[in-house]
C-alpha cells in the first residue's frame, strides 16, 4: 500500500486525541442551565442577532483544536509514504544506497566458526531487504582499492544486487576506507534527486581509517566533508570481533640481497604478536614445498621474534621459501613466501667508450681489473664479480636487464632510445655507474640523461675544470656512506694518492647526495636513487687520462665496495604485495605469444601477452588478488641455444592489515569531528535496523508536528481575535 504507519498503536491514539476537544466542548455546553429572567430578555434579543457569527467562530476553533490533536496522534504513529505512492510520483522519497562491503583479509578473522566477512554478507542482505520498490543501489567491494561491482544505479537490487553479493569472496588484500568513501561520493552524483545514502560494512580496524597526521588525515577530512554534503545518511555497520589477539609472519628475508651458489644463506622470518597477551609461535620452514625445520619461539605481547633457517644453495635457479605458522583465528597472515633467484656471480656490464688498440689502453681496463683481479696464471678465480665488456656501439642492442650493474665509461653516443632503456633498467632495480671523459658531449648528456633533474644523471654537467697545474684529490668530509666508510680514520690518506687533473664541474640535484668532494670543494662522486635502482657518477674518467686514481690500490678497494653497494636487489621485483603488478623484463629472443603464468592454487596456467616498453619486451600481470607463489614459464624460440626456465614471484599480504585493533564510534567522532554517521554494532536482526530513519520511502512525522504547531498558533490568534468582538 502507498501509505502506512511505523506504529499502528499510536495511529489509534490519533482518533482518541481528536475526540478530546469535542468532548470538552460538549461538557461545557451541558454545564449551563437555562433560567427565565425578565431582565435578560432585552440582552437575549441582542444575542440572537449575533448567534450565527459566534456559532461559526466556535466551530472554527473547535475544528482547529481537533485537527491539532489528530496531527499529534498521527505524528506519534510515524506515518510514511511508499515510493509507489504520492512521494514516489513526486520523485522525493526514493532511496539510492551505495553499499560498501569490506573483503580485505582481516575480514577472515574467525570467532565461533564464523568469519567477519560472513557476518558482513549477512548484514548486506539486511540492507538489500530494507529497500523498497523504486529504490536503487550500487555496490563497492572494498580492499586497498575500491572495486565498483555495480556502478550504474539499479532498481534490480533483489536480483543483481544479491547475485553480485553472492559472488564476492574474501581477498588477501588490505583495506583503504578513504578510497572506498571517495568512490562512493563520486557514485552519489548519479542520482542527485533521490535520498542518497552510504552504508559501510567493515570490521572497523583502526589502521584502515588512516587517521594519522599529515596528508592522509587531511584527505580523510575532505572526503567525509563531501560525504556530509551529498549523502542524506551514512551508516557504519561494524561486524568485527572484540577479540584482537593475532600472530603473523610479517617478513621473510635472506641476510643479503644477492644470494649466490655455495656460501650458506640465512633466511630470517619475523613473527609479530599484535595482541595483548604473550604467546608461543611454532614456525615451519619449507623450501620449494619441502619441509626443512620447525621451531618454537615465544613472542611477548606487542613484540616481534625472529626465527631463521640456514641453507646452502647448489644451483643457480629460482627457489621459493615459505615460513608457516601453526594456525590461529586469522589464517591469511600465518604464511609468508620468498622467491630468491640464486646467482653464480655478480654480473657487471662495462660499456667502453674508448676501447683502444691494446687491452691496457681501453677505457674500462682498470675497472675490469679492479672488479675481477686474477693471480699470475690468470686462471684462478678470486672474485665473485663477473665483468663483461662491450663497445659503445653495442649498447643499443645489448640485453642490459641480465646485468646487476651497468657501467658507462666515457660513452659519447647517448641517444634518446638508449637513455630510455637505461632509465627503465634503473627503475626496475638496476644500478648505473657513470664515468665521464673527453669523448662525451655535456650538452647531449644534459639533454638526454639529466633532463632538468628528471633523468638518470644525479647532477648537471658544467665546464671541465683543469687542475694540472695544481692537482686535487678526493677529500671526504663525511664517512657515513658505504663507499667512504672503508677509508675512515687513518685510511683516509689512501684517497689522496690518486691525483685528479681534469674533471667536470657538477650542479648537484636536490635529491642527490655528494658521496665525496674534491679538495677544491667541487663534487667528485655523486649518487641518487632512481625508481627501485640507483645511479652513481664520478666527475672524472675511469682511465688515467684525467686522474691517477685507477692505478692505485685505493681504486681496487673502491670498485669492490661499489659493486656490492650497487648490486641489484633481485628480491624487489620477485617479491611483491597483494595487488601489485608482477613485472619482468624479458630476453629479446623470448618466444612470441602468450607467456604462461600459474597463480597459486590454479590448475591451469594463464597466458599473458608481453608488451614493449622503452624498447624492451616486458611481462606485466595485474591479477594478484591472492597471496602465494606465481610461476612463470619462459621458453626460448626454436633455434635459440638457451634452455627454458621457470621464474617465480612471491606475493604476500600487507602486514599492516594484521593489526586487529578496533576503533569505536566515539573515537571516530573525535577524530573526524564533523563526520555525521550512524553506527550499528554487529549484524542487524531486521532490515529496518540498518537505518531506521531511512528505511521507509518518505517519513512524514516531522511535517505533521510542524503543521500541528502552526495550527495551534492559528487557534490562539483566532481565539484572541474572536474574543475582542
Amino acid at each position: 500500500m502507498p501509505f502506512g504507519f511505523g506504529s499502528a498503536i499510536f495511529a489509534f491514539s490519533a482518533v482518541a486525541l481528536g475526540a478530546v476537544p469535542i468532548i470538552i466542548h460538549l461538557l461545557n455546553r451541558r454545564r449551563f442551565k437555562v433560567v427565565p429572567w425578565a431582565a435578560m430578555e432585552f440582552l437575549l434579543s441582542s444575542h440572537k442577532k449575533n448567534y450565527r457569527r459566534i456559532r461559526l467562530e466556535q466551530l472554527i476553533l473547535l475544528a482547529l483544536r481537533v485537527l491539532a490533536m489528530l496531527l499529534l496522534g498521527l505524528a506519534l504513529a510515524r506515518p510514511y509514504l511508499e515510493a509507489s505512492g504520492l512521494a514516489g510520483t513526486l520523485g522525493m522519497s526514493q532511496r539510492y544506497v551505495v553499499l560498501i562491503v569490506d573483503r580485505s583479509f582481516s575480514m577472515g578473522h574467525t570467532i565461533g566458526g564464523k568469519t567477519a566477512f560472513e557476518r558482513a554478507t549477512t548484514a548486506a542482505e539486511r540492507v538489500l531487504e530494507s529497500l523498497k520498490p523504486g529504490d536503487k543501489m550500487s555496490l563497492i567491494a572494498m580492499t586497498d582499492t575500491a572495486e565498483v561491482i555495480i556502478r550504474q544505479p539499479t532498481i534490480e537490487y533483489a536480483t543483481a544486487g544479491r547475485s553480485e553479493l553472492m559472488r564476492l569472496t574474501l581477498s588477501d588484500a588490505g583495506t583503504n576506507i578513504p578510497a572506498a568513501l571517495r568512490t562512493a561520493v563520486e557514485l552519489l552524483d548519479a542520482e542527485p534527486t533521490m535520498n542518497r545514502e552510504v552504508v559501510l560494512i567493515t570490521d572497523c580496524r583502526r589502521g584502515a581509517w588512516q587517521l594519522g597526521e599529515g596528508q592522509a588525515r587531511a584527505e580523510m577530512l575532505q572526503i567525509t566533508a563531501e560525504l556530509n554534503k551529498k549523502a542524506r545518511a551514512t551508516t557504519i555497520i561494524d561486524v568485527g570481533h572484540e577479540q584482537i589477539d593475532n600472530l603473523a609472519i610479517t617478513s621473510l628475508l635472506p641476510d643479503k640481497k644477492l644470494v649466490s651458489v655455495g656460501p650458506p644463506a640465512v633466511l630470517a622470518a619475523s613473527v609479530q604478536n599484535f595482541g595483548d597477551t604473550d604467546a608461543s609461535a611454532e614456525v615451519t620452514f619449507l623450501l620449494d614445498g619441502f619441509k626443512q625445520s620447525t621451531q618454537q619461539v615465544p613472542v611477548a605481547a606487542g613484540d616481534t621474534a625472529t626465527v631463521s633457517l640456514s641453507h646452502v644453495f647448489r644451483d643457480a635457479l629460482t627457489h621459493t621459501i615459505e615460513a608457516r605458522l601453526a594456525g590461529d583465528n586469522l589464517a591469511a597472515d600465518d604464511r609468508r613466501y620468498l622467491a630468491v633467484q640464486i646467482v653464480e656471480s655478480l654480473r657487471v656490464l662495462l660499456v667502453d667508450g674508448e676501447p683502444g688498440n691494446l687491452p691496457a689502453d681501453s677505457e674500462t681496463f682498470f675497472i675490469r681489473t679492479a672488479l675481477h683481479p686474477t693471480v699470475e696464471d690468470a686462471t684462478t678465480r678470486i672474485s665473485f664479480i663477473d665483468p663483461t665488456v662491450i663497445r659503445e656501439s653495442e649498447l643499443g642492442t645489448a640485453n642490459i636487464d641480465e646485468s646487476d650493474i651497468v657501467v658507462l665509461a666515457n660513452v659519447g653516443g647517448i641517444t634518446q632510445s638508449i637513455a630510455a632503456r637505461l632509465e627503465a633498467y634503473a627503475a626496475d632495480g638496476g644500478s648505473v655507474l657513470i664515468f665521464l671523459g673527453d669523448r662525451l658531449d655535456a650538452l647531449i648528456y644534459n639533454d638526454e640523461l639529466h633532463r632538468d633533474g628528471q633523468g638518470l644523471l644525479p647532477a648537471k654537467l658544467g665546464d671541465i675544470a683543469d687542475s694540472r697545474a695544481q692537482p686535487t684529490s678526493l677529500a671526504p668530509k663525511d664517512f657515513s656512506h658505504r663507499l667512504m666508510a672503508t677509508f675512515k680514520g687513518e685510511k683516509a690518506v689512501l684517497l689522496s694518492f690518486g691525483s685528479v687533473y681534469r674533471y667536470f664541474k657538477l650542479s648537484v640535484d636536490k635529491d642527490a647526495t655528494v658521496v665525496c668532494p674534491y679538495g677544491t670543494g667541487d663534487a667528485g662522486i655523486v649518487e641518487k636513487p632512481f625508481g627501485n635502482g640507483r645511479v652513481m657518477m664520478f666527475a672524472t674518467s675511469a682511465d688515467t687520462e684525467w686522474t691517477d686514481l685507477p692505478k692505485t690500490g685505493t681504486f681496487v678497494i673502491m670498485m669492490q665496495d661499489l659493486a656490492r653497494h650497487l648490486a641489484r636487489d633481485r628480491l624487489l621485483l620477485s617479491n611483491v604485495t597483494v595487488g601489485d603488478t608482477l613485472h619482468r623484463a624479458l630476453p629479446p629472443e623470448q618466444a612470441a605469444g602468450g607467456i604462461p603464468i600459474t597463480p597459486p592454487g590454479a590448475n591451469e596456467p594463464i597466458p599473458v601477452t608481453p608488451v614493449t616498453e622503452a624498447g624492451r619486451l616486458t611481462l606485466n600481470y595485474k591479477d594478484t588478488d591472492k597471496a602465494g607463489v606465481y610461476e612463470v614459464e619462459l621458453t626460448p624460440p626454436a633455434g635459440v641455444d638457451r634452455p627454458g626456465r621457470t621464474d617465480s614471484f612471491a606475493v604476500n599480504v600487507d602486514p599492516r592489515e594484521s593489526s586487529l585493533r578496533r576503533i569505536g564510534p566515539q573515537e571516530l567522532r573525535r577524530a573526524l569531528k564533523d563526520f555525521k554517521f550512524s553506527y550499528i554494532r554487529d549484524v542487524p536482526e531486521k532490515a529496518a535496523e540498518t537505518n531506521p530513519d531511512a528505511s521507509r520511502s518518505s517519513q512524514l512525522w516531522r511535517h505533521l508536528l510542524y503543521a500541528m504547531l502552526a495550527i495551534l498558533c492559528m487557534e490562539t490568534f483566532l481565539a484572541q481575535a474572536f474574543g475582542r468582538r
Side-chain angles (χ1 to χ4, degrees):
M1 55 180 285
F3 183 85
F5 293 96
S7 176
I9 296 176
F10 282 106
F12 293 107
S13 70
V15 178
L17 288 172
V20 169
I22 298 175
I23 294 172
I24 294 175
H25 178 75
L26 293 175
L27 290 176
N28 285 337
R29 287 189 62 187
R30 296 184 62 184
R31 182 183 301 169
F32 304 102
K33 292 183 179 181
V34 178
V35 179
W37 186 16
M40 295 298 296
E41 289 295 328
F42 176 78
L43 293 175
L44 182 60
S45 174
S46 176
H47 175 70
K48 287 181 178 180
K49 294 180 180 179
N50 300 320
Y51 176 79
R52 290 184 178 178
R53 177 179 60 80
I54 295 173
R55 181 68 173 174
L56 179 61
E57 291 172 351
Q58 289 177 340
L59 290 176
I60 291 173
L61 293 176
L62 177 61
L64 290 174
R65 291 163 185 163
V66 170
L67 183 57
M69 292 298 100
L70 283 173
L71 291 175
L72 175 60
L74 289 173
L76 293 174
R78 299 176 70 89
Y80 60 87
L81 283 176
E82 295 264 352
S84 58
L86 177 61
T89 304
L90 297 177
M92 298 169 53
S93 61
Q94 294 171 321
R95 296 169 64 198
Y96 171 41
V97 177
V98 177
L99 179 59
I100 305 172
V101 179
D102 187 351
R103 67 182 196 99
S104 60
F105 85 75
S106 65
M107 296 287 286
H109 189 211
T110 305
I111 297 293
K114 197 169 187 178
T115 66
F117 181 70
E118 290 172 329
R119 293 148 64 94
T121 54
T122 302
E125 284 280 351
R126 298 287 188 271
V127 174
L128 295 182
E129 290 170 6
S130 74
L131 299 177
K132 302 296 179 182
D135 293 344
K136 296 182 179 180
M137 61 87 66
S138 291
L139 178 62
I140 298 174
M142 179 177 68
T143 55
D144 48 13
T145 60
E147 182 185 2
V148 181
I149 306 299
I150 300 178
R151 176 175 295 275
Q152 195 65 28
T154 177
I155 60 174
E156 299 297 331
Y157 52 84
T159 53
R162 284 186 173 86
S163 176
E164 294 296 343
L165 192 61
M166 290 177 62
R167 290 194 185 100
L168 288 185
T169 58
L170 196 61
S171 168
D172 284 336
T175 318
N176 189 337
I177 290 179
L181 292 180
R182 186 186 302 110
T183 303
V185 168
E186 295 170 358
L187 292 179
L188 290 177
D189 291 332
E191 295 291 345
T193 62
M194 300 183 74
N195 289 325
R196 299 175 293 181
E197 304 169 32
V198 173
V199 178
L200 170 62
I201 307 176
T202 180
D203 55 358
C204 276
R205 281 182 51 258
R206 182 189 302 274
W209 287 90
Q210 300 184 11
L211 297 177
E213 298 299 327
Q215 184 177 356
R217 180 180 177 82
E219 216 172 290
M220 188 66 195
L221 291 171
Q222 180 184 3
I223 294 169
T224 53
E226 292 181 20
L227 196 58
N228 287 340
K229 292 178 183 178
K230 295 184 179 181
R232 174 190 176 189
T234 300
T235 304
I236 299 172
I237 302 179
D238 181 0
V239 295
H241 300 294
E242 294 294 341
Q243 196 255 29
I244 64 168
D245 288 341
N246 182 41
L247 288 175
I249 301 180
T250 55
S251 71
L252 176 60
L253 294 169
D255 57 343
K256 45 198 169 189
K257 61 182 180 182
L258 207 62
V259 182
S260 61
V261 175
V266 178
L267 308 162
S270 297
V271 182
Q272 187 168 349
N273 185 347
F274 288 93
D276 295 326
T277 57
D278 297 346
S280 178
E282 182 182 284
V283 182
T284 299
F285 285 97
L286 294 91
L287 175 62
D288 296 329
F290 295 97
K291 181 179 176 180
Q292 302 296 307
S293 69
T294 298
Q295 304 174 40
Q296 201 83 21
V297 59
V299 192
D303 203 357
T304 301
T306 302
V307 292
S308 59
L309 170 71
S310 180
H311 186 80
V312 176
F313 292 95
R314 303 296 183 184
D315 48 28
L317 300 174
T318 300
H319 293 274
T320 57
I321 299 95
E322 178 185 348
R324 183 184 299 174
L325 273 176
D328 61 9
N329 291 329
L330 182 57
D333 56 12
D334 292 340
R335 298 185 178 191
R336 200 154 189 91
Y337 307 89
L338 175 67
V340 181
Q341 184 179 351
I342 312 302
V343 299
E344 292 181 332
S345 61
L346 195 162
R347 290 167 289 188
V348 180
L349 181 66
L350 304 176
V351 185
D352 200 320
E354 193 174 8
N357 296 323
L358 298 174
D361 296 333
S362 72
E363 195 78 24
T364 59
F365 172 76
F366 290 101
I367 305 176
R368 179 169 53 83
T369 303
L371 292 176
H372 192 77
T374 56
V375 294
E376 291 183 0
D377 62 5
T379 58
T380 304
R381 176 180 176 181
I382 61 174
S383 176
F384 168 67
I385 305 169
D386 183 16
T388 300
V389 180
I390 64 170
R391 292 175 177 268
E392 177 184 305
S393 58
E394 299 175 85
L395 179 57
T397 57
N399 183 17
I400 62 176
D401 295 295
E402 293 295 324
S403 302
D404 298 294
I405 304 172
V406 173
V407 181
L408 305 181
N410 199 12
V411 175
I414 298 296
T415 63
Q416 187 175 10
S417 61
I418 289 176
R421 290 190 67 208
L422 289 170
E423 288 183 7
Y425 165 77
D428 283 352
S431 293
V432 180
L433 176 60
I434 302 172
F435 286 89
L436 304 179
D438 56 359
R439 291 198 69 255
L440 61 88
D441 187 325
L443 291 177
I444 294 177
Y445 262 57
N446 289 334
D447 288 344
E448 302 297 345
L449 289 178
H450 186 256
R451 296 193 294 110
D452 295 325
Q454 302 301 310
L456 276 179
L457 289 189
K460 185 177 181 179
L461 305 189
D463 296 331
I464 296 176
D466 193 331
S467 59
R468 282 175 289 188
Q470 190 174 357
T472 186
S473 63
L474 293 171
K477 297 179 180 179
D478 183 2
F479 293 88
S480 59
H481 193 279
R482 176 173 178 173
L483 184 61
M484 294 293 106
T486 304
F487 303 99
K488 188 176 182 180
E490 296 179 355
K491 295 180 181 179
V493 69
L494 295 175
L495 294 171
S496 64
F497 294 163
S499 298
V500 179
Y501 307 108
R502 301 184 76 191
Y503 61 89
F504 274 94
K505 288 195 172 185
L506 306 177
S507 298
V508 182
D509 294 345
K510 292 181 180 180
D511 59 345
T513 302
V514 177
V515 176
C516 185
Y518 291 129
T520 59
D522 294 326
I525 306 174
V526 188
E527 181 185 39
K528 81 169 183 180
F530 191 91
N532 290 319
R534 56 184 55 250
V535 182
M536 183 175 284
M537 182 168 68
F538 281 68
T540 190
S541 67
D543 62 4
T544 56
E545 288 189 10
W546 286 15
T547 175
D548 291 337
L549 182 62
K551 294 190 295 185
T552 67
T554 302
F555 189 73
V556 176
I557 298 172
M558 291 180 68
M559 290 301 101
Q560 289 285 325
D561 286 347
L562 262 182
R564 285 162 175 78
H565 170 65
L566 295 177
R568 185 176 196 168
D569 189 349
R570 293 182 175 271
L571 298 175
L572 280 175
L573 296 181
S574 297
N575 298 270
V576 299
T577 303
V578 169
D580 291 345
T581 299
L582 303 184
H583 176 79
R584 176 77 81 236
L586 303 173
E589 68 274 11
Q590 176 62 43
I595 295 178
I597 294 182
T598 306
N603 296 323
E604 296 291 333
I606 300 171
V608 178
T609 303
V611 296
T612 300
E613 298 175 343
R616 306 183 308 162
L617 193 64
T618 58
L619 172 69
N620 297 296
Y621 182 73
K622 298 181 179 180
D623 298 331
T624 58
D625 193 47
K626 289 294 181 184
V629 176
Y630 293 69
E631 293 186 341
V632 182
E633 296 291 336
L634 298 177
T635 305
V640 175
D641 186 18
R642 179 172 62 83
R645 74 175 194 264
T646 300
D647 276 357
S648 297
F649 291 89
V651 178
N652 288 296
V653 299
D654 188 340
R656 294 175 296 180
E657 187 77 11
S658 296
S659 176
L660 302 177
R661 295 195 177 276
R662 298 165 42 73
I663 186 169
Q666 291 78 16
E667 187 176 354
L668 195 56
R669 288 189 172 97
R670 285 194 299 270
L672 304 170
K673 295 181 180 179
D674 298 325
F675 185 26
K676 300 174 183 177
F677 66 90
S678 301
Y679 175 84
I680 298 175
R681 182 69 180 99
D682 217 334
V683 180
E685 293 184 2
K686 300 177 182 178
E689 292 179 6
T690 57
N691 192 339
D693 289 336
S695 61
R696 300 300 183 183
S697 296
S698 182
Q699 297 286 331
L700 302 177
W701 62 271
R702 286 189 180 89
H703 305 289
L704 294 175
L705 287 178
Y706 294 148
M708 183 195 75
L709 291 174
I711 288 173
L712 289 177
C713 290
M714 184 184 298
E715 189 273 343
T716 302
F717 172 79
L718 291 177
Q720 292 178 352
F722 293 160
R724 294 193 191 101
R725 297 183 182 182

